[in-house]
């Protein structure tokens, strides 16, 4: 490859990363754990209609643990939760898991087919299970009972299910243990089995607003004593709790009484102390039941995932000393431990999602499941390039060679508040833009909105940057990762703060001479779709195009249409209904939708229960197609967040076509936007 780059207009660079590559290039690796000595994880299989397989690494390579066709996935609170658990430290004892299509709890032993442990619901998916623990000859877990497939009405209990399968045909064999709150996590059982802990919260709170850490004694007959609050309360959110491994009775809780999710020790009498107080986050917003960021190890230390706007893996000693692993990963997810080692999904600006195994004994971090490269999974012991420069798998650069080098930037809004962003400049190893031309940029508004995105190598972003289109990923006010005060910037201001911060990021790039002011677009999904539509209504002179994925748009109707978990979310984002009715009208993206003149593409799954298709339809009813060029693609079988590779690829092609038309460039290959 020549060191001299050819000059082509931005947006027209030929890229080897096609939409199909981007759709399947980043494997969705989740829910890591141990089965005996093996590290296992769930992996979404886009070519199999988004089925979630349970995988492990063997000497022969990566293989599925269960017989083919099983879908290890729970729909608890619609966003899911931890869907499987090994029954002991011995692989021969097998595991339990929730099967996606029927949501029943199953048990699997090596050499046999899985068998159901829980009874069927009145309809498939009525009863959902997640976040498991073993107690004697029972599985203790969270059970969610939903009224219908919209999940707008639901009840939750901690339950005990016999491991012998007797409850599969006899629902009376399922014991209800507790129902302290409308929402709960699964149980954490103290070593020795004397006590159990869980988190609970009620409407209108979300789990990052207010939660309570509950503890109850386990009585000799297997029932629970009266639960007591051990931490949390109004304005404090405990996001995780786990017991010490040494039998001391200490309970570790990740909570934010001082405005940051720090690790606290809770003693038997309820006294608490912060183990490593610092303005960093040692936890995240609890969008999925069973997530962990603090793992007690057998030697008395804690493996912790921490940082500001990123996450590093470290070991927290009893003296409060924190030592990070010497590893370039800047994001760690779905962590699990066997008491000695830590397995997780790790990524960084230079590495896509990878399953790794970290060993505090020697500080090593070993790859278990490497990222896909050109459609194949590279083994962890893949040989280095040969001495003559020949690569062992391909002579042409891998798609990751076309990825840009992103960086963090903080701009200041008109009110002086910081706006944190991730900048992904256009990049191609063989092409550059003309000296007299600035690149187009896409402003990316993440979903949530109480969430964040990650500064990592991302194939979907590379799809655009390798063509000469920059991306700025905005961590607008309300995002997690920067403490409670930054999260609270969005309180009662959704549709205002997020819109202003996205505009601040775009204008910051323009002021620095990095982006063409006449070629700015915005894209976002879910809550990010709300922000995208609100932005093109509020800033018609700034944005020239928008890509809107499965959005929420009409807050009044959304309260009644969405699922139970988020049905009171707007109390914090906009205000209590109907007392704040004026704000609902003022902040809705639909308020001035009839004034939108920016071309857009709208992409919607028809099975979405979080942001139902009716939300998107309300926008289209207010748009005059003779005035505003728009396209709407809908996808059967897709819910909230697309899982099928064909859907993702069709969406990206539709986006590129829109940007080419609206921002004035000619792609190297004319994209197709057919959903087929």
């Amino acid at each position: 490859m020549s060191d001299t780059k050819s000059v082509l207009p931005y947006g027209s660079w030929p890229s080897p990363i096609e939409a199909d590559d981007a759709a399947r290039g980043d494997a969705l690796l989740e829910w890591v754990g141990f089965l005996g000595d093996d590290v296992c994880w769930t992996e979404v299989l886009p070519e199999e209609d988004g089925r979630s397989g349970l995988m492990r690494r063997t000497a022969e390579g990566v293989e599925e643990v269960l017989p083919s066709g099983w879908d290890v996935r729970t729909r608890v609170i619609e966003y899911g939760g931890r869907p499987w658990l090994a029954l002991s430290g011995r692989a021969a004892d097998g595991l339990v898991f929730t099967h996606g299509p029927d949501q029943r709890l199953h048990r699997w032993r090596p050499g046999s087919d899985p068998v159901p442990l829980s009874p069927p619901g009145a309809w498939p998916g009525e009863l959902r299970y997640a976040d498991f623990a073993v107690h004697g000859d029972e599985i203790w877990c969270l059970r969610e009972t939903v009224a219908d497939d919209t999940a707008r009405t639901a009840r939750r209990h901690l339950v005990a299910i016999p491991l012998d399968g007797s409850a599969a045909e006899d629902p009376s064999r399922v014991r209800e243990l507790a129902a302290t709150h409308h929402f709960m996590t699964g149980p954490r059982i103290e070593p020795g089995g004397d006590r159990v802990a869980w988190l609970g919260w009620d409407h209108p709170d979300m789990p990052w607003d207010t939660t309570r850490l509950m503890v109850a004694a386990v009585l000799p007959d297997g029932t629970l004593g009266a639960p007591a609050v051990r931490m949390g309360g109004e304005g404090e959110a405990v996001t995780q709790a786990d017991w010490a491994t040494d039998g001391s009775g200490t309970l570790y809780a990740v909570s934010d009484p001082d405005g940051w999710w720090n690790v606290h020790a809770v003693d038997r009498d309820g006294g608490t102390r912060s183990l490593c107080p610092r303005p960093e986050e040692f936890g995240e917003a609890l969008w999925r039941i069973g997530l962990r960021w603090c793992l007690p190890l057998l030697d008395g230390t804690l493996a912790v995932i921490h940082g500001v706007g990123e996450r590093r893996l470290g070991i927290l000693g009893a003296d409060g000393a924190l030592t990070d692993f010497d590893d370039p990963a800047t994001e760690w997810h779905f962590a699990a431990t066997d008491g000695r080692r830590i397995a997780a999904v790790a990524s960084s600006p230079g590495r896509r999602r990878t399953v790794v195994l970290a060993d505090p004994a020697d500080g090593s971090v070993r790859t278990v499941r490497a990222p896909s490269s050109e459609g194949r999974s590279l083994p962890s012991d893949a040989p280095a390039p040969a001495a003559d420069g020949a690569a062992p798998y391909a002579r042409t650069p891998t798609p990751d060679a076309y990825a840009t080098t992103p960086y963090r930037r903080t701009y200041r809004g008109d009110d002086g508040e910081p706006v944190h962003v991730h900048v992904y400049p256009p990049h191609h190893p063989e092409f550059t833009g003309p000296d007299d031309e600035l690149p187009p940029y896409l402003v990316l508004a993440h979903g949530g909105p109480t969430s964040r995105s990650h500064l990592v190598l991302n194939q979907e972003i590379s799809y655009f940057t390798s063509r000469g289109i920059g991306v700025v990923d905005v961590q607008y006010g309300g995002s997690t990762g920067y403490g409670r005060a930054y999260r609270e910037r969005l309180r009662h201001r959704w549709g205002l703060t997020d819109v202003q911060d996205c505009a601040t990021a775009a204008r910051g790039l323009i002021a620095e001479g990095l982006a063409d002011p006449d070629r700015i677009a915005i894209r976002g999904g879910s809550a990010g779709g709300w922000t995208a539509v609100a932005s093109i209504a509020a800033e018609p002179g700034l944005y020239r195009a928008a890509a809107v994925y499965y959005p929420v748009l009409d807050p009044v109707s959304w309260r009644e249409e969405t699922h139970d978990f988020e049905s009171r979310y707007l109390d914090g984002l906009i205000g209590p209904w109907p007392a704040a009715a004026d704000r609902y009208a003022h902040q809705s993206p639909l308020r001035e939708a009839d004034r939108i003149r920016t071309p857009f593409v709208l992409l919607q799954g028809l099975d979405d229960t979080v942001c139902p298709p009716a939300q998107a339809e309300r926008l289209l009813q207010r748009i005059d197609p003779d005035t505003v060029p728009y396209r709407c693609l809908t996808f059967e079988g897709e819910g909230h967040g697309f899982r099928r590779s064909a859907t993702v690829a069709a969406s990206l092609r539709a986006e590129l076509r829109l940007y080419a038309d609206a921002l004035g460039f000619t792609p190297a290959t004319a994209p197709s936007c057919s959903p087929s």
Side-chain angles (χ1 to χ4, degrees):
M1 185 180 296
S2 172
D3 291 335
T4 302
K5 293 187 176 185
S6 300
V7 176
L8 281 178
Y10 289 106
S12 65
W13 301 346
S15 171
I17 304 174
E18 296 297 341
D20 290 327
D21 301 317
R24 63 174 176 262
D26 285 350
L28 184 54
L29 313 172
E30 301 181 320
W31 302 118
V32 180
F34 289 86
L35 179 63
D37 289 330
D38 290 338
V39 177
C40 301
W41 63 94
T42 62
E43 181 167 337
V44 173
L45 307 173
E47 302 301 332
E48 298 187 37
D49 287 337
R51 179 174 70 86
S52 188
L54 183 62
M55 319 300 285
R56 67 179 165 190
R57 172 90 193 177
T58 70
E60 289 72 37
V62 173
E63 66 175 21
E64 282 203 57
V65 175
L66 302 174
S68 179
W70 291 91
D71 187 0
V72 183
R73 178 160 53 105
T74 175
R75 290 182 59 191
V76 160
I77 69 167
E78 295 306 299
Y79 290 103
R82 185 165 290 276
W84 72 277
L85 176 74
L87 289 175
S88 73
R90 301 187 313 122
D93 291 333
L95 55 88
V96 295
F97 69 97
T98 295
H99 179 47
D102 63 14
Q103 291 293 291
R104 294 176 73 181
L105 179 64
H106 289 72
R107 179 175 184 174
W108 172 80
R109 294 181 176 91
S112 64
D113 288 329
V115 296
L117 296 184
S118 65
W123 52 274
E126 178 201 19
L127 304 174
R128 306 167 176 185
Y129 303 89
D131 207 10
F132 310 108
V134 178
H135 186 269
D137 57 1
E138 295 178 319
I139 291 294
W140 289 17
C141 63
L142 174 68
R143 182 188 67 191
E144 180 179 69
T145 306
V146 296
D148 54 42
D149 58 8
T150 69
R152 293 173 195 160
T153 302
R155 295 176 291 112
R156 295 164 191 89
H157 296 82
L158 299 186
V159 298
I161 301 174
L163 274 166
D164 62 9
S166 58
E169 302 297 334
D170 182 3
S172 68
R173 294 280 293 158
V174 178
R175 296 192 303 115
E176 293 184 356
L177 299 170
T180 55
H181 295 79
H182 189 65
F183 298 98
M184 295 184 293
T185 65
R188 296 288 179 267
I189 301 173
E190 183 181 15
D194 292 337
R195 293 184 295 169
V196 62
W198 64 92
L199 307 181
W201 67 97
D202 293 307
H203 283 315
D205 290 316
M206 298 299 285
W208 43 85
D209 296 324
T210 293
T211 64
R212 288 170 173 82
L213 171 57
M214 310 300 297
V215 175
V218 180
L219 303 180
D221 63 356
T223 61
L224 302 187
V229 177
R230 285 289 178 257
M231 197 172 186
E234 190 64 33
E236 179 183 348
V238 186
T239 197
Q240 185 206 331
D242 264 292
W243 298 96
T245 60
D246 59 5
S248 64
T250 299
L251 185 57
Y252 296 114
V254 180
S255 192
D256 65 346
D258 299 319
W260 295 87
W261 274 314
N262 282 185
V263 181
H264 298 76
V266 184
D267 61 31
R268 285 186 174 274
D269 298 326
T272 64
R273 58 187 175 90
S274 182
L275 299 183
C276 186
R278 56 171 69 186
E280 292 186 25
E281 302 281 44
F282 287 72
E284 298 273 6
L286 193 61
W287 278 100
R288 305 177 78 180
I289 303 298
L291 289 171
R292 302 171 74 196
W293 305 273
C294 172
L295 308 175
L297 304 180
L298 291 174
D299 64 1
T301 62
L302 298 170
V304 293
I305 296 171
H306 69 103
V308 178
E310 66 175 15
R311 294 293 179 271
R312 303 277 182 174
L313 177 65
I315 300 297
L316 180 60
D319 60 355
L322 179 59
T323 304
D324 286 344
F325 278 79
D326 184 15
D327 185 86
T330 54
E331 295 290 348
W332 295 74
H333 313 276
F334 303 104
T337 184
D338 62 359
R340 298 179 295 108
R341 304 167 298 167
I342 303 102
V345 176
S347 54
S348 73
R351 181 172 64 182
R352 286 184 276 153
R353 289 184 290 260
T354 306
V355 179
V356 300
L357 182 63
D359 190 342
D362 58 12
S364 63
V365 178
R366 182 172 68 86
T367 297
V368 176
R369 197 283 195 202
S372 299
S373 179
E374 295 186 334
R376 98 176 49 191
S377 179
L378 301 182
S380 61
D381 55 353
D388 63 357
Y393 289 96
R395 291 183 177 273
T396 57
T398 66
D400 289 355
Y402 294 83
T404 189
T405 300
Y407 59 91
R408 301 180 192 279
R409 184 75 167 85
T410 300
Y411 294 107
R412 293 279 173 179
D414 293 339
D415 56 4
E417 292 283 357
V419 180
H420 306 295
V421 305
H422 305 157
V423 181
Y424 293 80
H427 168 76
H428 194 296
E430 300 174 28
F431 295 95
T432 188
D435 290 339
D436 60 351
E437 181 183 345
L438 290 173
Y441 256 83
L442 309 181
V443 175
L444 175 56
H446 65 70
T450 313
S451 184
R452 68 184 180 97
S453 44
H454 308 128
L455 187 73
V456 299
L457 199 158
N458 180 301
Q459 192 85 319
E460 191 170 299
I461 288 178
S462 295
Y463 175 76
F464 295 109
T465 58
S466 63
R467 287 170 164 76
I469 306 166
V471 176
V472 57
D473 191 355
V474 185
Q475 312 305 298
Y476 49 80
S479 300
T480 58
Y482 305 93
R484 181 178 281 263
Y486 198 79
R487 283 202 315 273
E488 294 287 334
R489 284 190 56 216
L490 201 62
R491 178 165 290 275
H492 296 170
R493 289 187 53 80
W494 192 33
L496 302 175
T497 295
D498 48 324
V499 170
Q500 293 165 3
D501 286 0
C502 285
T504 292
R507 292 192 171 99
L509 289 171
I510 293 168
E512 291 183 332
L514 300 176
D516 186 336
D518 295 323
R519 294 197 291 174
I520 303 294
I522 188 167
R523 70 190 300 256
S526 188
W530 159 290
T531 302
V533 174
S535 293
I536 61 176
E539 295 275 4
L542 179 60
Y543 300 107
R544 303 305 170 92
V548 182
Y549 284 75
Y550 34 84
V552 52
L553 295 171
D554 178 14
V556 177
S557 64
W558 187 73
R559 296 178 73 259
E560 303 300 328
E561 294 172 348
T562 194
H563 61 136
D564 181 50
F565 175 62
E566 292 184 272
S567 63
R568 297 292 300 277
Y569 193 6
L570 298 185
D571 284 43
L573 293 175
I574 301 177
W577 178 266
D582 57 336
R583 289 205 294 267
Y584 279 74
H586 176 69
Q587 293 170 217
S588 168
L590 297 182
R591 181 173 69 97
E592 296 184 341
D594 58 346
R595 298 175 58 185
I596 289 175
R597 297 295 180 266
T598 303
F600 64 90
V601 60
L602 196 153
L603 308 121
Q604 178 69 49
L606 295 179
D607 294 346
D608 194 336
T609 59
V610 177
C611 295
Q615 289 288 305
E617 292 164 4
R618 290 187 178 91
L619 172 65
L620 300 184
Q621 291 166 0
R622 290 166 169 79
I623 299 296
D624 181 356
D626 294 330
T627 304
V628 183
Y630 76 83
R631 300 192 73 249
C632 177
L633 298 183
T634 59
F635 302 93
E636 294 277 359
E638 289 284 13
H640 196 65
F642 297 155
R643 297 173 67 90
R644 298 173 179 173
S645 58
T647 303
V648 176
S651 301
L652 290 173
R653 286 192 290 266
E655 276 197 73
L656 184 59
R657 176 177 172 176
L658 167 71
Y659 301 145
D661 292 344
L663 305 184
F665 61 82
T666 302
T669 301
S672 165
C673 59
S674 170
S676 61

